[in-house]
Amino acid sequence: EDQVTQSPEALRLQEGESSSLNCSYTVSGLRGLFWYRQDPGKGPEFLFTLYSAGEEKEKERLKATLTKKESFLHITAPKPEDSATYLCAVQAGSGGGADGLTFGKGTHLIIQP
Amino acid sequence: DGGITQSPKYLFRKEGQNVTLSCEQNLNHDAMYWYRQDPGQGLRLIYYSQIVNDFQKGDIAEGYSVSREKKESFPLTVTSAQKNPTAFYLCASSTSGGAGDGELFFGEGSRLTVL
């Protein structure tokens, strides 16, 4: 059974204080790993897709990296508007389509001014 | 602008009633999905459809039903058989097959509360 574990569950940072969120996974043949951002009371918003170990993607203050067992979402010099819940999901290689996605429970990030 | 529209945003239901949540997309995506989100849990798949007039059960389909008569629309009915329907419901769409088919576009969600 595919599993995704995100840590920490919650993280409070000061504005400008860089940190990383972790997504550990076990899956039978990784097809893709996805990061989403979710604001309170809203639907998730897609951020990144990573396909193979060693791959990195960047967007503004966010950088996502991937190894064979985990992914990190690095946040550099965060601002209060980066406060959100960050979700990680993995897609197994056994079949196509987003019906094969397994989501983690998310990391709730708060950036204090 | 292209996107996914869910309605209503908030819905209250009495026990024993069926309710239908609307989901419309203008992204020309073939695949559509319904997820349920509960506090402290990951998103769980209820139903999905990869083509018009066809849909499949997800991990937690019991007590729910769907239809896919048009490419743009994928309504979800929460029936009285669903024992714990209070939750945040999310509709999503994606391209079907190939690289990037795990990149979901989500609606704003519908929050259902059973009184």
Side-chain angles (χ1 to χ4, degrees), chain B residues 35-48:
Chain B
Y35 285 90
R36 171 178 172 143
Q37 188 172 39
D38 295 282
Q41 295 199 38
L43 295 179
R44 292 183 291 168
L45 183 63
I46 304 172
Y47 267 98
Y48 65 97

Side-chain angles (χ1 to χ4, degrees), chain B residues 23-39:
Chain B
C23 178
E24 303 279 332
Q25 57 104 352
N26 60 2
L27 299 167
N28 199 34
H29 284 166
D30 289 314
M32 297 187 73
Y33 308 84
W34 275 104
Y35 285 90
R36 171 178 172 143
Q37 188 172 39
D38 295 282

Side-chain angles (χ1 to χ4, degrees), chain A residues 22-63:
Chain A
N22 178 264
C23 172
S24 298
Y25 63 90
T26 55
V27 64
S28 54
L30 181 69
R31 180 180 169 92
L33 184 140
F34 305 85
W35 282 98
Y36 289 84
R37 169 193 170 125
Q38 185 175 23
D39 293 307
K42 305 285 189 182
E45 176 187 354
F46 168 75
L47 292 173
F48 303 110
T49 306
L50 301 167
Y51 293 107
S52 58
E55 188 174 1
E56 298 183 353
K57 293 274 180 74
E58 285 190 66
K59 180 179 180 180
E60 296 181 355
R61 294 176 292 280
L62 300 176
K63 183 169 80 172

Side-chain angles (χ1 to χ4, degrees), chain A residues 1-6 22-30 32-33 68-71 88-92 100-105:
Chain A
E1 181 180 338
D2 301 337
Q3 288 191 328
V4 177
T5 303
Q6 292 189 247
N22 178 264
C23 172
S24 298
Y25 63 90
T26 55
V27 64
S28 54
L30 181 69
L33 184 140
K68 289 186 178 180
K69 294 184 178 181
E70 58 192 348
S71 176
C88 173
V90 296
Q91 185 179 33
L101 284 180
T102 300
F103 281 86
K105 296 179 181 181

